Amino acid sequence: MKKICHFSSVHPGLDIRIYRKQCVSLAQAGFDVHLVIGADATQVAEAAGAGVTIHPLTALPGGRLRRMVAHSWRCYRTAKALNADVYHFHDPELIPYGLLLSWQGRKVIYDLHEDLRADIHSKQWIPRPLRHVIGSVARAVEHFAARRFAAMVAATPYIGALFDKSAARVAVVHNYPAINELAAAPATVLTAFPRDSVCYVGAINEMRGIRHIIQALEMVPVKLLLAGAFDPPALRVELRAYRGWHQVEEYGFVDRQKVGEIMARSLCGLVTLKPEPNFVNALPIKLFEYMSAGVPVIASDFPLWRGIVEDAECGICVDPENPNAIAKAINYLLTHPEEADAMGRNGRRAAESKYRWDWEGAKLVALYADILAEVPDTGEVRLGGQKL
C-alpha cells in the first residue's frame, strides 16, 4: 500500500477540503493516508476511524512570523520522517519545503486553494505599496516550484489555468460539497417554510461583507444565524454597536452537524463577499453548500457567480456593498415563499447533477494513480471498489 502524506501549517485539523474531502477519499481508495496538521486528541481519534492517521502538531506561541518560520519547519520535519511516496501540501509558506522534498526525489503536489497573488493584494496586514511587489515575487516563486513538482492541484479552473505552461500536471479539483452531508435528501430539505431566519456560515471578516449584512438586518424582520469565527475579534466588538446586531443569533465555530441544522432553519444563505481580487474569480464553498442543503442563495453579483446562480435558478445576486440591495433580496424571498422554495430545490438539483465532491474525489484519486505509475511498485489503488 502506497503511503501518502498531506501536510499543512495553517489549516485546522479536520479542515473540510484537506481532511474531510481529500484525505478521506484517498483512504477510501486504498491509500495509506497520513496528515500532519494542528489537531487535538478527539480529532485524531475521529480521523483514525476514517482510515486517516493524523500526526498532530501543537500550536506555537507567538505571531504570524513565528508560525511561518518555526511551525512550518516542524511541519516539514514531521512529514519528511514519514518517508511517504507522495507529499501533498496546502500552504504557500511550505513551498520551500516542497522543493526540498522534490530535490530529494519525492513526488510532491502543491494544492492551490487560492490565487496567491490576488490574495496578497487583499491582505490588510501587508502595507499597500508593497502588495504588488510581494504578489509578483510570490507568483514567480510558484512558477519556479511548479516546474519541479509532480502536480499542481487547483480549486478552480481559473487558478489552474495560471500554471498550464509551467506545471508538469494541473488538476482542477473543485471544492464542491459532499451530497447529503448537510441535508439528507431533497424531500426533507424544504418542509419548514415559512422561515424567519437567514444564515451566514464561514470565516467572518471585513472582506467577506459582514458589516453590510448587519446593516441590512436593520431593514428586514429576520434573524441572522451566524456561524464562524471573527477575524479580528475587535470587529465583533465594533459590530455589536450596530442596531441590526440584536437580530444576530451567534454560534461561533460549529461542527458539520450544526452547520446542517442552521441551514435547515434558514430562508436563505448569504455569500455577499466584497469584490476583492481573490474573490471575484473564486468558487466559494459556502455557495455550493447552501445549494446542496436546498437553501436559496443571496450572492455577490460577480460575473462568475451570477452565471452559476442564474444557470441553476437558485437565488438572487446583489451588490455586496449595498445593504439596501441585500435587504431587498431578503425581503423578496420572505414575501415570495413559493419562489424561495423553488430556488432551494433548483439549487439542490444543480448540486446533485454538477457540484458534488464524489466526482472531484475520483479526479484526485486518478491523479495519484497517474503520478504513482512513475514510481516502481505502484501497489494497489482502488476507486469505487475497482482496482485501477
Side-chain angles (χ1 to χ4, degrees):
M1 182 183 297
K2 289 298 183 183
K3 180 184 285 187
I4 292 170
C5 175
H6 282 242
F7 59 110
S8 171
S9 55
V10 175
H11 294 80
L14 299 187
D15 179 89
I16 296 171
R17 178 174 174 83
I18 299 173
Y19 165 72
R20 296 193 183 280
K21 294 176 180 173
Q22 294 187 349
C23 288
V24 170
S25 293
L26 291 166
Q28 290 173 345
F31 292 106
D32 178 18
V33 182
H34 296 253
L35 173 60
V36 179
I37 203 165
D40 59 30
T42 301
Q43 293 170 326
V44 172
E46 179 178 335
V52 178
T53 303
I54 287 185
H55 303 266
L57 299 175
T58 56
L60 287 177
R64 182 178 289 109
L65 181 60
R66 183 170 171 79
R67 186 207 72 207
M68 295 177 71
V69 177
H71 190 60
S72 295
W73 171 250
R74 290 196 310 162
C75 190
Y76 161 71
R77 293 286 296 173
T78 304
K80 181 176 181 292
L82 292 171
N83 195 29
D85 296 291
V86 178
Y87 286 93
H88 188 148
F89 70 95
H90 296 265
D91 313 305
E93 65 196 41
L94 295 173
I95 290 175
Y97 303 116
L99 286 169
L100 283 176
L101 290 166
S102 179
W103 288 331
Q104 294 163 19
R106 307 296 184 179
K107 296 294 183 183
V108 178
I109 299 172
Y110 175 24
D111 204 305
L112 300 146
H113 293 217
E114 298 177 297
D115 175 355
L116 178 58
R117 183 166 65 182
D119 186 47
I120 287 172
H121 279 274
S122 301
K123 295 294 187 187
Q124 301 296 307
W125 55 273
I126 299 176
R128 187 174 294 276
L130 298 179
R131 293 178 193 172
H132 176 74
V133 174
I134 295 175
S136 296
V137 171
R139 176 58 51 79
V141 170
E142 284 189 318
H143 281 300
F144 175 82
R147 295 184 179 91
R148 289 149 182 86
F149 293 159
M152 306 286 271
V153 169
T156 70
Y158 174 82
I159 298 173
L162 297 174
F163 296 91
D164 277 344
K165 295 181 179 178
S166 58
R169 298 179 183 84
V170 176
V172 177
V173 179
H174 297 91
N175 211 14
Y176 294 151
I179 297 298
N180 296 335
E181 182 193 15
L182 299 175
T188 61
V189 170
L190 298 170
T191 55
F193 276 100
R195 305 178 188 179
D196 63 355
S197 301
V198 300
C199 70
Y200 175 91
V201 178
I204 305 170
N205 57 45
E206 183 75 35
M207 297 298 103
R208 293 172 190 268
I210 186 61
R211 186 184 304 279
H212 296 129
I213 291 174
I214 302 300
Q215 290 172 336
L217 288 180
E218 300 175 7
M219 295 174 261
V220 286
V222 298
K223 291 185 294 185
L224 171 65
L225 311 182
L226 183 61
F230 275 90
D231 180 24
L235 177 61
R236 178 179 179 275
V237 175
E238 179 188 345
L239 294 181
R240 284 177 61 85
Y242 283 40
R243 284 191 298 142
W245 184 265
H246 76 278
Q247 295 165 243
V248 174
E249 193 170 305
E250 192 178 11
Y251 291 90
F253 186 82
V254 298
D255 61 22
R256 301 298 289 166
Q257 180 178 348
K258 191 64 179 179
V259 169
E261 292 173 4
I262 288 171
M263 291 184 182
R265 293 174 51 199
S266 298
L267 167 71
C268 64
L270 302 174
V271 55
T272 50
L273 279 58
K274 297 174 71 170
E276 293 293 320
N278 194 34
F279 292 153
V280 294
N281 291 308
L283 295 172
I285 183 174
K286 60 173 65 64
L287 170 63
F288 300 103
E289 288 186 341
Y290 294 147
M291 293 168 67
S292 74
V295 178
V297 302
I298 295 178
S300 300
D301 191 14
F302 305 151
L304 178 62
W305 299 15
R306 188 191 320 131
I308 295 169
V309 172
E310 291 183 352
D311 180 62
E313 299 181 355
C314 65
I316 300 172
C317 290
V318 300
D319 177 354
E321 299 184 290
N322 185 339
N324 290 321
I326 298 172
K328 185 176 179 181
I330 294 173
N331 195 54
Y332 184 87
L333 296 175
L334 195 62
T335 55
H336 296 76
E338 292 184 357
E339 285 189 48
D341 185 87
M343 290 178 182
R345 292 181 183 276
N346 290 341
R348 172 72 185 207
R349 192 177 302 114
E352 290 179 336
S353 62
K354 298 173 66 175
Y355 308 120
R356 50 189 302 159
W357 170 253
D358 50 353
W359 295 346
E360 301 303 310
K363 288 160 58 178
L364 183 68
V365 171
L367 172 67
Y368 271 79
D370 184 42
I371 292 173
L372 286 168
E374 300 173 351
V375 179
D377 183 22
T378 58
E380 182 178 287
V381 179
R382 291 186 175 276
L383 174 59
Q386 300 297 316
K387 186 175 180 180
L388 295 176

